[in-house]
Amino acid sequence: MEQRRSFIKDLLQSTEVDREVNAKGWVRTKRGNKQVAFVALNDGSTINNIQVVVDMANFDENLIKDITTGASLSVTGTLVKSMGQGQSVEIQAKEIEIYGTADSETYPLQKKGHSLEFLREIAHLRFRTNTFGAVFRIRHAMAFAIHNYFNDRNFYYLHTPIVTGSDAEGAGEMFRVSTFEPGKEPKTEEGKIDYTEDFFGKETNLTVSGQLEAELGATALSNVYTFGPTFRAENSNTPRHLAEFWMIEPEMAFYDIHDDMDLAEDMLKYLVKYALDNCIDDLKFLENRLIEEEKSKPQNERSEMPLIEKLQFILNDDFVRLTYTEAVDILKNSKPAKKGKFQFPVEWGIDLQSEHERYLVEKHFKKPVILIDYPRDIKAFYMKQNDDGKTVRAMDILFPGIGEIIGGSQREENYDKLSARIKEMGIPEKDMWWYLETRKFGTVPHSGFGLGFERLVLFVTGMSNIRDVIPFPRTPKNAEF
RNA sequence: UCCUCAGUAGCUCAGUUGGUUAGAGCACCUGACUGUUAAUCAGGGGGUCGUAGGUUCAAAUCCUACCUGGGGAGCCA
């Protein structure tokens, strides 16, 4: 009788031995001698492999030859207590079927470790490594936990459009969406491209944010969130930026900026705790990988604490909350400022530079920091204006090593103030009529924020390049796979 | 986009002030070994030194441009 396939994760936890089982997966390593071979098999259900013991006497020599790193197998045999050290159970193979061989001369993955840069060039195969297996299992867990978190708190998952007709958000350069043939665009009498002839009858782009649409949902459903792809055509070449990334944007009616911060902090802690509770094997692996990697670095470039401790540390303490103005005072009185070490001098009104944020988070407070009440001139039009006439109710959450992980604000709900600000900033009012109408009819105080999903995964996995926490990174000059 | 560092075997890297036939570890192939743990041991094959020019008797090594990648900055999530 055909044995039903078990996941390796379940087999490894099983105490029920001396029974026939079937496992399917990919070979990580094979070792042994003329009498017996040991095959480490992995099926992605866990970072751990199951050891398949092959008594050479029972199998065709050519079959065993084809079992090389990367080959895919179905193994039927007896789950037994391991005779060797290093694992509690193993499969004594009775039957082995090879689905696909992997020519050892040309298969790019080896038993030994590869650099992340090399693996990025073979992103179609990197899932098969321990590191990327761990990263993408954790990425899944975080996505799942986000839906859990919101579902448990009366939030509705709102699907905002990927193709948008408004370019008012001002969140960055956009990718145009058009069905015009390049070079053959119809022209108006003035010689400009005539978008009324285009598929949507107007100029359209890929979304840079679902926030404005989410606000519309929140003014009826109370609490909504979006979780979808976001596109920015910025020529950003850093380990923290992607042209295509995923963003979570909750939007809550009747929330002020303090409720907004409470939610953001609670959610981040929930997600970190979820990873610790559900992904500990993968986290342990990533922690060790990091320790190994940092051995070759000088002392001062190594992390201050191991990954798991760093995650636990986030849970234990409240995030520091202070105003932009207070932060500027701290920076002005800081050692680096007095010694002229900052490349950019600190002055009230400037947008804080990376070096300033890093000082606050990594040197001064040594914990996550939430900054609020930024100068209105450096923030978006929709943020609620404070009574001082100078600042807005914005909040940024800064994480060590990541920088801004969340950016949010209380929204301006006053029609007159909002439309005045739109005019002031030269945003085409005719494109914003629908947004403004939510302030005309039954307006409510409301708030929201945007969480960069990859930045979250970056923090939780301890990886250092954002291109290694999304399966197929899209960056300037790179859309391979 | 700017600054900076790098590109040598399938992978990771060494290669001195320019000087014979460019090396190592791992991987791969062959062989040995009765239970291995990224197995071990012995042997073997494997290179247009990122690309294109230039300097020189002579270039992996020096110069210029370009390409690719890392790190930092800006833009931001």
Side-chain angles (χ1 to χ4, degrees):
Chain A
M1 196 182 81
E2 185 94 338
Q3 251 302 317
R4 192 158 164 230
R5 180 250 182 126
S6 298
F7 280 101
I8 289 169
K9 181 186 176 183
D10 300 326
L11 292 177
L12 290 174
Q13 286 170 355
S14 178
T15 48
E16 198 189 324
V17 289
D18 299 322
R19 62 187 170 108
E20 186 156 295
V21 297
N22 172 265
K24 299 178 197 290
W26 294 265
V27 175
R28 283 296 169 77
T29 68
K30 182 180 70 172
R31 39 179 186 268
N33 52 49
K34 263 185 185 166
Q35 277 70 38
V36 61
F38 301 93
V39 177
L41 197 69
N42 187 281
D43 65 2
S45 62
T46 159
I47 191 146
N48 300 306
N49 305 323
I50 196 155
Q51 173 155 283
V52 178
V53 185
V54 184
D55 188 342
M56 302 293 259
N58 301 337
F59 291 89
D60 178 17
E61 199 183 316
N62 289 320
L63 180 100
I64 305 302
K65 257 195 173 157
D66 277 344
I67 301 177
T68 57
T69 300
S72 46
L73 309 181
S74 172
V75 177
T76 306
T78 314
L79 186 72
V80 296
K81 258 191 156 158
S82 179
M83 287 164 66
Q85 310 263 304
Q87 60 279 317
S88 58
V89 293
E90 63 193 17
I91 298 175
Q92 199 79 43
K94 281 185 188 150
E95 239 179 87
I96 297 176
E97 184 192 340
I98 298 180
Y99 288 113
T101 56
D103 178 26
S104 48
E105 297 263 14
T106 50
Y107 184 63
L109 293 174
Q110 303 165 7
K111 300 177 196 178
K112 286 240 174 183
H114 294 281
S115 69
L116 297 172
E117 293 82 9
F118 171 68
L119 292 171
R120 223 171 279 152
E121 288 168 18
I122 52 165
H124 57 307
L125 296 173
R126 66 178 179 170
F127 297 104
R128 302 184 186 194
T129 63
N130 285 332
T131 301
F132 285 95
V135 166
F136 292 122
R137 275 187 296 273
I138 291 172
R139 185 182 165 105
H140 158 79
M142 290 296 91
F144 182 77
I146 284 162
H147 288 299
N148 249 353
Y149 180 83
F150 285 128
N151 185 61
D152 288 350
R153 287 163 183 76
N154 292 309
F155 279 71
Y156 299 106
Y157 180 23
L158 191 71
H159 294 103
T160 50
I162 310 285
V163 175
T164 67
S166 63
D167 62 349
E169 226 277 329
E173 291 294 308
M174 297 174 126
F175 290 101
R176 172 146 314 141
V177 174
S178 171
T179 54
F180 284 155
E181 245 183 277
K184 291 187 186 169
E185 300 90 348
K187 300 280 165 63
T188 61
E189 284 173 15
E190 294 107 55
K192 289 184 180 163
I193 294 173
D194 184 5
Y195 286 105
T196 61
E197 297 275 313
D198 205 350
F199 187 89
F200 292 108
K202 62 187 297 194
E203 208 175 329
T204 48
N205 298 287
L206 293 178
T207 182
V208 293
S209 164
Q211 180 200 313
L212 300 188
E213 289 90 348
E215 283 187 50
L216 313 182
T219 58
L221 297 165
S222 282
N223 295 337
V224 300
Y225 70 104
T226 75
F227 187 172
T230 310
F231 307 86
R232 305 261 167 103
E234 297 287 351
N235 192 8
S236 298
N237 292 287
T238 84
R240 295 179 304 279
H241 291 87
L242 291 163
E244 177 184 286
F245 63 100
W246 290 67
M247 189 154 63
I248 298 100
E249 294 175 292
E251 197 66 38
M252 298 75 65
F254 314 110
Y255 267 51
D256 68 12
I257 189 75
H258 299 286
D259 302 324
D260 199 32
M261 285 191 280
D262 289 345
L263 181 76
E265 180 170 344
D266 184 60
M267 174 173 145
L268 287 171
K269 286 178 173 171
Y270 174 91
L271 295 173
V272 167
K273 185 167 188 313
Y274 189 92
L276 287 167
D277 290 346
N278 294 277
C279 308
I280 197 67
D281 282 357
D282 289 325
L283 288 173
K284 275 183 185 157
F285 174 83
L286 291 171
E287 174 171 285
N288 285 330
R289 199 196 75 83
L290 219 61
I291 290 167
E292 285 301 314
E293 189 185 69
E294 291 190 345
K295 274 183 184 168
S296 58
K297 286 187 179 173
Q299 195 80 44
N300 60 349
E301 285 176 30
R302 296 183 197 172
S303 333
E304 286 193 8
M305 51 179 95
L307 178 60
I308 292 169
E309 200 182 318
K310 185 185 83 174
L311 296 178
Q312 279 158 347
F313 178 77
I314 291 291
L315 301 182
N316 296 338
D317 252 324
D318 288 343
F319 296 0
V320 178
R321 300 184 186 190
L322 71 163
T323 65
Y324 168 91
T325 305
E326 288 165 337
V328 166
D329 284 344
I330 289 170
L331 287 165
K332 275 186 160 178
N333 291 315
S334 69
K335 261 189 208 163
K338 286 181 173 163
K339 289 184 178 170
K341 287 273 173 66
F342 285 137
Q343 203 189 328
F344 300 89
V346 185
E347 214 41 67
W348 198 96
I350 62 154
D351 212 350
L352 296 180
Q353 306 290 317
S354 283
E355 57 177 351
H356 306 140
E357 296 180 347
R358 289 248 291 275
Y359 175 82
L360 289 172
V361 175
E362 290 163 23
K363 294 269 158 33
H364 190 81
F365 291 113
K366 296 189 183 222
K367 59 169 83 168
V369 172
I370 313 182
L371 289 180
I372 60 166
D373 292 343
Y374 280 79
R376 70 198 283 259
D377 293 339
I378 58 171
K379 288 290 182 185
F381 74 92
Y382 50 72
M383 295 187 179
K384 184 170 176 64
Q385 298 164 42
N386 281 318
D387 294 336
D388 63 10
K390 294 192 300 187
T391 59
V392 288
R393 305 243 85 182
M395 65 113 173
D396 281 3
I397 302 188
L398 309 175
F399 260 36
I402 309 285
E404 186 181 340
I405 195 166
I406 278 180
S409 70
Q410 185 169 338
R411 319 305 189 189
E412 182 55 75
E413 83 274 17
N414 180 288
Y415 181 91
D416 294 332
K417 284 188 183 173
L418 182 62
S419 78
R421 192 74 181 129
I422 285 175
K423 280 201 193 84
E424 200 178 346
M425 293 179 77
I427 294 160
E429 227 176 323
K430 63 172 172 49
D431 290 346
M432 299 301 293
W433 64 273
W434 45 272
Y435 186 69
L436 280 162
E437 283 207 350
T438 54
R439 274 67 169 175
K440 209 190 252 173
F441 307 119
T443 192
V444 287
H446 64 288
S447 299
F449 61 84
L451 165 65
F453 185 55
E454 282 76 18
R455 289 191 181 172
L456 170 78
V457 179
L458 210 49
F459 181 77
V460 172
T461 58
M463 299 295 283
S464 48
N465 193 313
I466 201 163
R467 296 162 198 209
D468 295 330
V469 298
I470 188 168
F472 303 104
R474 297 290 179 253
T475 53
K477 301 273 180 293
N478 183 16
E480 189 71 44
F481 307 106

